[in-house]
Amino acid sequence: MRDLPHTALRPTTSADTLALAGGRVHEAQGKGRRAFALFQAARHPGQVVWVFPDHAQQLLLPGGLPQDLPARLMLLRPRGETDLLWSLEEALRAAPIALVIAEPEKPLSLTAGRRLQLAAEAGQTTGLVLVRDGQGSNAAETRWLCEAQAASAPDSTLHDWSLIKNKNGTIRRWVVSWNGASAAFDMVSATGERGQPADPPG
Amino acid sequence: MPLADARAICPSLETRAADLVRKAAALAALRRWASRYALMVVTDGSDGLIADISGVAHLFGGEEDLRADLQSRLDRAGITGVSAIAGTRGAAYALARNGGGVIPDGLLAEGIGRLPITALRVDPDTTGALSRLGLNQIRDILPLPRAPLSRRFGPGLLLRLDQALGVQAEPVAATPEAPHFGVRMTLPEPIGLQTDVMAGLRRLLDRLCDTLALHHMGARRVRLELRRVDRGSVRVEIGLARPMRDPNRIEALFRKGVDEIDAGFGIDALRLSVPIAEPLAPEQIGRDPTVPHEDALADLISRLGNRIGFDRVLRFLPAGSKIPERSFLLAPASCSEPAEAFPRTDPERPITLFPPEAITVSGGRSGRPPVSFTWRRMRFSTLRATGPERIAREWWFDDPAWRSGLRDYWRIETREGPRFWLFHTPQAFARPAPSGAQNWYAQGEFA
């Protein structure tokens, strides 16, 4: 049996529960998956590669991305699914890349998923594959279900990010307030819990 | 003669605009050919060549025979040329532009004496002043005292005269040949194995990269041509994301192309050339940690570009437009530098932008955001609306998407979660009632 790379075994610290383990490929699904990918991109300093299908209509608007992201973002628009997976693997294998985000069209096969994991281990690069609901691969390290949530206060932008698969830990659910401008975010306490200490009696 | 006069004399005259670039290229080609007569051949102005044939003429049987040989070859090639041989560069110039011929040794003054002064390479003002004095031919000024001539017409006239007469030396300096980045290898026995081709390529690459390093150049495209035994040829070409002359890294990019070629009955010649080279200064290696990082990134762009196409490896560049679709450019990463900073516009922009999609709205007053709407068959109800931000079309572009006039953009937060960027076109005609009666479109989604 192969030894897992040490990065995969490194537990994510409690202070940073939303961090993706390095050198592995993760998946995100749900309508808010792009926001989640941008949140992760803002938290990875260094070059970020985003792989789109050739005919994708929904593109990113640099004016709305986190502060310094457009300058270090490289977009790939390969023709066809094979080239998309090849570019994704090639980018994962390259050392100077911090994060690779890909939006494949078809469900990943088990072979493809495993290849991507090996490539990410070889390059020590984090990968994030944005999949449609139920199209994920079994080889993924974690899978996140991301939805936008309506906020009661006008200045908060709530995201409901739940970890629905985790190979090295438990699954959880977070409601995060993140406005999309920087890497800073606020955890929103779950219903029924107090965010601040109660007023002293009397 | 003005063109109008020429047309009046010959109505069927064909005219074509002068193509100076192609003319210069043709002259350069002629210069290379003329090096069969002498080592030192240089272009002289835009229409002449000058060759130093010292010690060469006897190889062709004398100066007359050399000139006859040159003329006959030019005639055979269909080139109208006039040639002259003289002891000095100035005299040869003057004679070649006035009929051509050969001036024997020691007869320079007699040979050029009958030529007009305009042949001396002096400026038109001087020749005009001389002709007003009645001095039209070179032999007219030869006996004149030099001091008054120099005082009156400047030193230029006497310098040219001395150069023509050989008193002042004027050598022919050969221009350096432009470096040629191409190497080839011919094999005694045909090869067919991929490893053999790669080994041959490796030897050629080492030589090519040495040449590139000598001239401080780097390759942007490298082409490998393989000649097969059956006279067919195959070509593998790679592009590089930035100028490069490292044989190891270029070799790695060729592997896929060499893998796909058809060797047929075998390959007996390899030729490696650089169609596009760019300056690449020598740099110190091993000190600056950012250089390997940049190299690795350039390698990745090269690898990706050679498979999926360099126009599909893109990066964002800012553009000066308020129209959301034109507020950025997507430029190939191989020929652009990353932008320093992107201005984050206020009010906020969405993260995703798509072509406008009509939505069906219900409720809400005219010009105000809808109470609820349907987008892609999903129903949303408005929780909060921020806006409007009015963006007017750029009237100097005729963009079909903006023919509906100005747009009022709203940031709509829905009760269901998603936050949309909707716009309303108040200037456009409202669509008929069944489809919603209002001009509302969705164009983006916020984080």
Side-chain angles (χ1 to χ4, degrees), chain A residues 41-195:
Chain A
R43 286 155 59 87
H44 279 80
Q47 189 77 33
V48 177
V49 175
W50 200 304
V51 192
F52 288 102
D54 173 34
H55 48 82
Q57 291 278 332
Q58 306 211 4
L59 280 182
L60 300 173
L61 183 65
L65 301 187
Q67 206 77 71
D68 62 333
L69 186 62
R72 57 194 174 87
L73 185 64
M74 195 159 85
L75 303 178
L76 306 181
R77 304 192 70 177
R79 220 183 285 118
E81 193 75 5
T82 319
D83 271 3
L84 188 142
L85 289 177
W86 177 85
S87 334
L88 173 57
E89 190 182 343
E90 203 64 29
L92 281 171
R93 222 175 263 286
I97 307 293
L99 178 69
V100 187
I101 301 164
E103 301 185 6
E105 301 253 277
K106 298 186 184 124
L108 289 183
S109 67
L110 198 56
T111 319
R114 181 71 189 134
R115 278 190 74 130
L116 293 181
Q117 288 293 5
L118 291 175
E121 278 171 32
Q124 281 303 302
T125 309
T126 315
L128 181 61
V129 182
L130 308 185
V131 293
R132 298 191 186 152
D133 290 4
Q135 293 195 344
S137 146
N138 265 339
E141 176 77 13
T142 57
R143 188 173 305 131
W144 300 73
L145 177 63
C146 314
E147 297 290 348
Q149 207 180 59
S152 51
D155 60 341
S156 63
T157 322
L158 296 190
H159 300 270
D160 178 359
W161 290 336
S162 39
L163 187 53
I164 54 173
K165 173 191 170 165
N166 190 356
K167 279 194 173 176
N168 281 299
T170 52
I171 57 172
R172 268 189 74 182
R173 180 178 178 182
W174 291 272
V175 177
V176 174
S177 173
W178 177 64
N179 65 2
S182 64
F185 67 100
D186 284 322
M187 284 287 187
V188 178
S189 39
T191 322
E193 289 176 25
R194 268 197 295 264

Side-chain angles (χ1 to χ4, degrees), chain B residues 8-50:
Chain B
I9 296 168
C10 174
S12 61
L13 187 70
E14 270 186 45
T15 55
R16 239 168 272 157
D19 189 346
L20 296 179
V21 178
R22 283 181 61 196
K23 215 176 136 190
L27 192 65
L30 203 59
R31 187 189 74 81
R32 279 193 66 176
W33 170 79
S35 63
R36 72 192 300 279
Y37 292 107
L39 284 176
M40 307 262 195
V41 187
V42 283
T43 54
D44 189 15
S46 64
D47 60 347
L49 293 175
I50 187 105

Side-chain angles (χ1 to χ4, degrees), chain B residues 237-257:
Chain B
E237 195 164 324
I238 59 155
L240 299 163
R242 62 175 219 168
M244 202 184 280
R245 54 166 179 260
D246 182 353
N248 290 324
R249 286 158 56 198
I250 299 176
E251 187 193 5
L253 292 172
F254 265 112
R255 196 150 284 140
K256 174 172 166 283

Side-chain angles (χ1 to χ4, degrees), chain B residues 31-32 175-183 208 210-218 271 273-279:
Chain B
R31 187 189 74 81
R32 279 193 66 176
T175 44
E177 294 274 348
H180 174 66
F181 302 118
V183 283
L208 184 73
D210 286 348
T211 321
L212 285 168
L214 194 67
H215 292 98
H216 294 186
M217 297 289 271
R271 185 167 181 278
S273 57
V274 181
I276 302 173
E278 283 178 9

Side-chain angles (χ1 to χ4, degrees), chain B residues 308-359:
Chain B
I308 66 174
F310 278 97
D311 55 334
R312 292 171 180 276
V313 184
L314 305 163
R315 106 177 0 137
F316 282 125
L317 293 181
S321 174
K322 299 282 181 205
I323 305 285
E325 299 95 316
R326 280 201 290 273
S327 64
F328 63 92
L329 290 174
L330 276 173
S334 55
C335 44
S336 63
E337 289 295 312
E340 280 88 35
F342 266 84
R344 231 184 115 80
T345 33
D346 192 50
E348 221 183 325
R349 288 275 178 266
I351 55 167
T352 306
L353 188 76
F354 41 85
E357 293 172 14
I359 55 172

Side-chain angles (χ1 to χ4, degrees), chain B residues 159-195:
Chain B
L159 174 72
R160 289 304 189 193
L161 192 62
D162 287 348
Q163 282 176 341
L165 293 175
V167 182
Q168 192 94 28
E170 191 185 5
V172 175
T175 44
E177 294 274 348
H180 174 66
F181 302 118
V183 283
R184 62 177 140 192
M185 178 191 272
T186 320
L187 305 165
E189 287 283 323
I191 57 171
L193 288 178
Q194 196 185 332
T195 47

